[in-house]
Amino acid sequence: MATPVKFGVGQSVLRKEDDALIRGKGRYTDDFAPSHALHALVLRSPHAHAKFTVDATRARSLPGVALILDARDVGDLGDLPCLFNLEVNPFTGPPYPILAKDEVRHVGDAIAFVVAETIDAARDAIEAIEVKWTPLTAVVGVRNAIKKDAAQVWPQHAGNVLFDVSIGDKKATDAAFAQAHATVEIGIVNPRIVTNFMETRAVVCEYDARRDHLTMTVGSQGSHRIREIIGGMVLKIPPEKMRVICPDVGGGFGTKLFPYREYALAAVAARTLRKTVKWTADRTDHFMGDAQGRDNATIARMALAEDGKFLGMDVDLIGDMGAYLSTFGPYIPHGGAGMLPGLYDIKAFHCRVRTVFTNTVPVDAYRGAGRPEAAYVVERLVDAAARKLGLSVDAIRRKNFIPPRAMPYTTATGKIYDSGDFAAHLKRAMEVGEWKEFPKRARAAKKQGLVRGIGLASYVEVCGTMGEETAKVLLEPNGDVSVLIGTQSSGQGHQTAYAQIVAEQFGLPPERVHVFQGDTDMIATGLGTGGSASIPTGGVSVERATRELGERLRDIAAEALEASAGDLEINEGTIRVAGTDRSISFADLANRPGVDASKLNASATFAAADGTFPNGTHLAEVEIDPATGFIHIVNYVIVDDFGVTLNPLLLAGQVHGGAMQGIGQALMEQAVYSATDGQLQTGTFMDYALPRAADGPSFVFETHNVPCTTNPLGVKGAGEAGAIGSCPAVVNAIIEGLWREYRIDHIDMPATPERVWTAIQEHHRQHNL
C-alpha cells in the first residue's frame, strides 16, 4: 500500500470543521428551534443553605404557562449518580435529587422547573412562584468546613468529610523524613474556577406518544453517557425508548461530560405535556448550576538529601466537593493524587486525601481533572526545594528526573511510565527560551522599574483510560468512506483527525471521509470524550477498522481484477494491481453486482490496558510592575512529548488553548463565595475575569516525542496537557522574580495585580522601606 503524503498522519491538514463554523453554518443545540417548542426556565435558590416551601398556585394560572414542576412532581425519578467509589473504604454519598426538596444547599440549587409558551411567560411565572425561606448557616471553604464547630452540609457526614484515606507508604515516608538532610514545606491553594465555555448548555426534548419515545438533543461530551444516566438511571426507561443527539458542541472541558438536572426535567415535561420542550442556560445558570473545577487546599513536604536528591514526599490534600457529589467529583482529588510524584524518582511517598462538603456548587472534572492540581503542587514544591538548598531550579530537576534507562518505571503510587526523556525537553525549552541570557534581560527590565521573573514546570499526566471505544468504518456507494464512532468533538477537530487516520490507509482526501458522532440511534456504543482519550483510544479503533476494511476491499477487488489480493495496493480511492494500470475504484467496488454488503464495512474495538503519559516542560518569563502589581508574560516556551503527532496544527491549537486556560487560572480566574452567607460573589463577567488575547503570550511550541510503547499508534493524549504545565510555570516565574527582588517566596493563584502589589507593600512595611 502506498503511504499518502498529503493527508496522512503527521501532516498539518487544515480543519475540515472550520469552513462551516466560520460561515455561521454550525448547528448547536440552541439552533434547534422548533416553532412549536415550549420554553423552560429553572427557579434557583438565592440562599446557600435554607429550608423552604414552594407555592406555585398563582404562577400556574398565568397566561402561557404550561407546566411547573417541583420536587413533589419528580419524586419517582432517580437521583443524579456519582460514578466513582473507592475500592478500599467505599463511601455512601448523599442524594443528588433532580429538584431540591425542603432544603437547599448552595446558591443556585434548583427548586422548580417552569415551562411556558414563551420565554417571557416563563420569566413571569418564575417571579410569581411563592417561596418561603428559613435561612440556615452555610459553610464555605474546606478549611472552614472541617473545623470542629462548622455548620454541617449533610448531617450523615460528620465534620463535612466524605472520605479520609491514604495513598502510598506512610511508614517509608516517615523514615525518609527522619534521615533527611533538610526538609521543605509549602501550603498552597488551587482556586475554584468556572469553565465558561463559549456555548452554554442547552437541551431540546421531543416526545413521540405513539412510540412512547424521547428524542433529546443536547450539547454534551457524550450522547451514550447521557442516555445511560438520564434515561436509564434517572428516568428509568429502557435505552430503545430514548435517542440522544449531540450536534456541534461549543466547548466542553469536562463540564459538559456530566448529566444535569435540566436534561431530566425537560424530558419529564415533554412526556407530561406531549410537546417539545427547550431549555437553554444563560450565563447565570452556568455560574450557579454547572459543575465547577479545581478547589484544593494542599500542604506538601519534601525530604531532601544534602546533594539535592528527593528522599520522600508527604502531602495532605483536601478537595472541595461542593454540596453534592457530581458524576466523577470524588475521583478528581483522589485520582490526581496518584500523579503527585510527577517526573521525579521519589521512592517514598504518602498522601492523605480528604474530600469535604461545602455549601457551594458541586465540583467535578475540569480540563486535566486532578493532574493539573498534582503538577502544580509538585512543581511549586521542587522550586521551594531548590531555594532551600541554594540549587538552580533546572539542576534540581535534572538530578531527580527519572532517566530514560529506567523505563518502564513504576512510581510510588503505582503508575507505570512507559517512555520519555524528561531532561531532553527541559534542556530544549531552556535553549529556546534563552535561559542563560535571562540575567541580562532582568537587568534591562530593572532599569525600566520592572521586575523580571523566569520559571519552569516539567509535568507528566496520565490519560487515555476512559475504557473501550468502537469504531465502524464503511464504504459508501459513491466511493467515500464514513466513520461512525462514539467519541464526541467539542472543538478538538475529530472530523479532521479521524479523516487523516483513514487517509493513512486509503489515501483519500479529507473531504471524502465523513465522521459521524453523537447519535445513539446511528452509533451503537460510545464513551464520549474526556480524559484526552479520543485519539489514544478512538484513533486506534479507527485505524484498526480501516485496516480491516482495506483487507475486505482487497478481497472483493481481487475477484474483480482477477488478481491476488497480495498484489493489490490502495490509494486515492482506487485499488490497483501493483505495477500495472489495472484498477477498480471504490465506487465501482461498492456497486459491484452481487457484492456482499457485509464486506463493505468493518468494526474494531480498543481499550487501553495502561494509560499514556504525555509530559513536557513549560518555560514562562514574566515582567512585574511593582507600582501596580500587573504581570505581563513576555516569553513562553513549551516543549512536549506526545509520542507521535497526528496533526501538528491541531496539536498546537490544543496546547495553546490549554495553556491559555492555565494562564487564566494563574493570573485572574477564581470563583469566590462569601464566607458569611455562601453567596457567589463572582457570578458574572463583571466579577469573574477571563483571559483575553492580550493576556497571553506568543507561544513557542515544539515537540520532543518519544513514541508510547503501550499505544498501538505510539500516541500520548494531548488535549489537556497545556492546562497542566502552565499554572506552575507562570507562578514559578512570578515567585522567582519576587524572591530575587523582595525575598517573597509565596503567592497563591490567581496572582492578581492586587495580590502581587499587596505582597510587595507588605515587604516594604516589614523592612521600613
Side-chain angles (χ1 to χ4, degrees):
M1 178 181 67
T3 300
V5 175
K6 190 173 182 182
F7 307 117
V9 171
Q11 302 304 308
S12 292
V13 177
L14 296 177
R15 284 167 41 111
K16 291 178 59 179
E17 300 87 337
D18 288 350
D19 182 71
L21 296 179
I22 63 178
R23 293 175 186 272
K25 300 296 185 182
R27 290 280 285 169
Y28 298 89
T29 304
D30 193 50
D31 292 321
F32 290 81
S35 59
H36 57 281
L38 300 173
H39 298 271
L41 290 175
V42 177
L43 177 60
R44 300 186 183 279
S45 169
H47 298 279
H49 199 190
K51 296 284 189 180
F52 72 98
T53 59
V54 174
D55 185 354
T57 304
R58 186 169 71 88
R60 288 190 172 99
S61 67
L62 292 179
V65 175
L67 181 69
I68 297 179
L69 300 172
D70 62 28
R72 293 165 295 185
D73 303 304
V74 294
D76 60 330
L77 300 184
D79 295 330
L80 290 178
C82 174
L83 300 183
F84 169 75
N85 215 317
L86 296 169
E87 294 182 6
V88 180
N89 301 322
F91 57 84
T92 301
Y96 193 170
I98 298 303
L99 286 170
K101 181 181 181 182
D102 301 331
E103 187 172 342
V104 292
R105 289 178 168 83
H106 68 84
V107 171
D109 213 347
I111 63 172
F113 190 71
V114 175
V115 183
E117 293 176 0
T118 66
I119 200 72
D120 288 335
R123 290 192 182 101
D124 290 342
I126 286 279
E127 293 178 1
I129 296 174
E130 298 177 10
V131 186
K132 293 183 179 179
W133 299 100
T134 304
L136 303 172
T137 303
V139 63
V140 170
V142 292
R143 296 292 183 196
N144 294 326
I146 60 175
K147 290 179 179 177
K148 187 175 182 180
D149 58 349
Q152 297 295 289
V153 180
W154 295 97
Q156 65 268 44
H157 289 281
N160 290 313
V161 174
L162 173 66
F163 62 74
D164 182 346
V165 298
S166 286
I167 297 172
D169 189 333
K170 180 169 173 43
K171 184 177 179 180
T173 304
D174 288 345
F177 275 85
Q179 64 174 337
H181 166 74
T183 64
V184 64
E185 178 179 307
I186 59 170
I188 59 175
V189 172
N190 202 306
R192 179 182 290 233
I193 51 181
V194 180
T195 305
N196 281 310
F197 25 58
M198 289 189 293
E199 178 211 17
T200 56
R201 288 190 302 109
V203 60
V204 178
C205 265
E206 303 166 87
Y207 180 65
D208 183 340
R210 182 181 60 83
R211 294 191 297 144
D212 184 28
H213 183 274
L214 278 167
T215 298
M216 179 180 290
T217 302
V218 59
S220 169
Q221 289 174 235
S223 54
H224 294 86
R225 191 178 299 276
I226 295 299
R227 185 180 66 176
E228 172 191 350
I229 297 176
I230 296 297
M233 303 175 76
V234 178
L235 300 175
K236 303 173 184 176
I237 60 176
E240 64 270 16
K241 293 292 186 181
M242 185 175 183
R243 178 187 186 186
V244 178
I245 301 169
C246 293
D248 288 330
V249 180
F253 311 116
T255 306
K256 282 185 184 163
L257 186 61
F258 321 124
Y260 287 96
R261 290 163 150 173
E262 296 86 1
Y263 306 160
L265 290 166
V268 170
R271 286 200 303 179
T272 301
L273 298 169
R274 302 195 171 198
K275 293 184 178 180
T276 299
V277 175
K278 179 178 182 178
W279 171 84
T280 300
D282 61 20
R283 196 56 64 171
T284 299
D285 285 313
H286 174 61
F287 272 98
M288 298 198 303
D290 292 3
Q292 297 175 353
R294 312 294 191 234
D295 207 344
N296 289 351
T298 306
I299 297 172
R301 301 186 302 141
M302 192 79 82
L304 306 166
E306 189 172 0
D307 64 355
K309 283 288 290 181
F310 300 156
L311 302 177
M313 183 178 179
D314 188 68
V315 182
D316 188 332
L317 186 162
I318 310 177
D320 196 334
M321 296 291 93
Y324 302 101
L325 298 184
S326 185
T327 311
F328 302 110
Y331 172 75
I332 308 309
H334 186 269
M339 298 306 298
L340 278 165
L343 295 170
Y344 305 104
D345 181 20
I346 303 173
K347 294 294 192 293
F349 172 86
H350 170 258
C351 180
R352 180 187 186 188
V353 183
R354 283 172 284 178
T355 49
V356 174
F357 291 107
T358 62
N359 291 114
T360 59
V361 172
V363 174
D364 210 319
Y366 170 75
R367 197 169 193 168
R371 290 102 75 197
E373 295 92 315
Y376 185 65
V377 169
V378 69
E379 289 304 293
R380 287 284 309 274
L381 185 60
V382 167
D383 267 29
R387 286 192 295 273
K388 178 87 171 187
L389 296 177
L391 296 173
S392 68
V393 294
D394 57 306
I396 199 169
R397 284 175 169 81
R398 282 193 296 268
K399 180 176 286 290
N400 288 283
F401 277 153
I402 301 160
R405 65 178 181 276
M407 303 295 176
Y409 176 92
T410 302
T411 72
T413 61
K415 305 297 183 185
I416 303 175
Y417 300 165
D418 66 284
S419 60
D421 189 344
F422 314 142
H425 53 62
L426 171 70
K427 178 182 178 183
R428 180 57 183 161
M430 294 175 68
E431 289 172 351
V432 175
E434 298 180 339
W435 184 276
K436 291 181 179 179
E437 302 300 313
F438 172 74
K440 293 180 182 178
R441 300 194 294 275
R443 288 193 295 270
K446 191 166 185 177
K447 290 179 181 179
Q448 302 297 319
L450 303 173
V451 175
R452 280 231 178 183
I454 193 166
L456 293 168
S458 294
Y459 76 92
V460 63
E461 65 142 328
V462 59
C463 56
T465 57
M466 290 280 286
E468 69 177 31
E469 190 64 73
T470 298
K472 182 177 182 180
V473 179
L474 60 149
L475 182 63
E476 301 290 1
N478 66 352
D480 289 0
V481 170
S482 291
V483 176
L484 281 66
I485 191 166
T487 56
Q488 177 64 50
S489 180
S490 56
Q492 298 93 333
H494 289 180
Q495 293 275 350
T496 306
Y498 292 142
Q500 286 183 257
I501 294 173
V502 173
E504 188 74 10
Q505 301 284 331
F506 291 165
L508 284 175
E511 60 268 20
R512 293 191 59 189
V513 181
H514 312 285
V515 178
F516 297 92
Q517 303 176 94
D519 187 335
T520 56
D521 272 12
M522 180 182 289
I523 299 152
T525 62
L527 294 171
T529 290
S532 301
S534 289
I535 299 305
T537 304
V540 175
S541 299
V542 171
E543 191 272 341
R544 290 181 171 179
T546 304
R547 184 157 23 97
E548 174 62 26
L549 177 59
E551 295 304 315
R552 295 182 178 189
L553 296 182
R554 277 192 184 87
D555 290 340
I556 300 172
E559 181 180 340
L561 297 172
E562 297 181 343
S564 169
D567 294 332
L568 302 181
E569 59 184 20
I570 302 176
N571 200 22
E572 297 182 354
T574 298
I575 300 183
R576 183 181 308 277
V577 179
T580 76
D581 59 359
R582 295 167 56 208
S583 66
I584 186 169
S585 71
F586 276 12
D588 287 340
L589 273 180
N591 294 286
R592 182 172 168 77
V595 69
D596 183 354
S598 68
K599 299 291 187 181
L600 300 179
N601 65 80
S603 297
T605 300
F606 177 73
D610 301 293
T612 70
F613 293 90
N615 56 89
T617 293
H618 286 224
L619 181 153
E621 188 172 336
V622 302
E623 224 165 44
I624 304 166
D625 183 350
T628 64
F630 179 77
I631 294 168
H632 176 55
I633 301 175
V634 295
N635 186 22
Y636 203 107
V637 177
I638 305 170
V639 182
D640 281 323
D641 172 6
F642 292 127
V644 170
T645 297
L646 176 58
N647 181 317
L649 280 179
L650 291 181
L651 180 62
Q654 289 277 31
V655 172
H656 290 180
M660 277 303 295
Q661 285 183 294
I663 287 168
Q665 185 181 359
L667 298 182
M668 62 193 71
E669 292 189 56
Q670 184 176 19
V672 178
Y673 288 86
S674 166
T676 57
D677 59 7
Q679 287 295 317
L680 178 59
Q681 297 179 322
T682 52
T684 72
F685 286 146
M686 294 293 289
D687 307 293
Y688 188 96
L690 284 177
R692 302 185 181 190
D695 297 308
S698 178
F699 294 102
V700 179
F701 168 58
E702 295 183 4
T703 55
H704 188 283
N705 289 334
V706 180
C708 178
T709 63
T710 61
N711 183 274
L713 297 180
V715 301
K716 304 172 183 177
E720 295 157 295
I724 295 171
S726 47
C727 286
V730 172
V731 176
N732 280 344
I734 294 167
I735 293 175
E736 191 277 334
L738 294 177
W739 171 255
R740 181 169 23 85
E741 193 67 25
Y742 307 110
R743 285 302 185 257
I744 296 170
D745 65 356
H746 177 76
I747 195 163
D748 269 323
M749 297 189 291
T752 60
E754 180 186 17
R755 282 187 175 176
V756 174
W757 182 86
T758 300
I760 294 171
Q761 296 309 306
E762 178 63 17
H763 164 81
H764 291 337
R765 186 191 66 78
Q766 290 180 0
H767 295 84
N768 297 314
L769 299 176

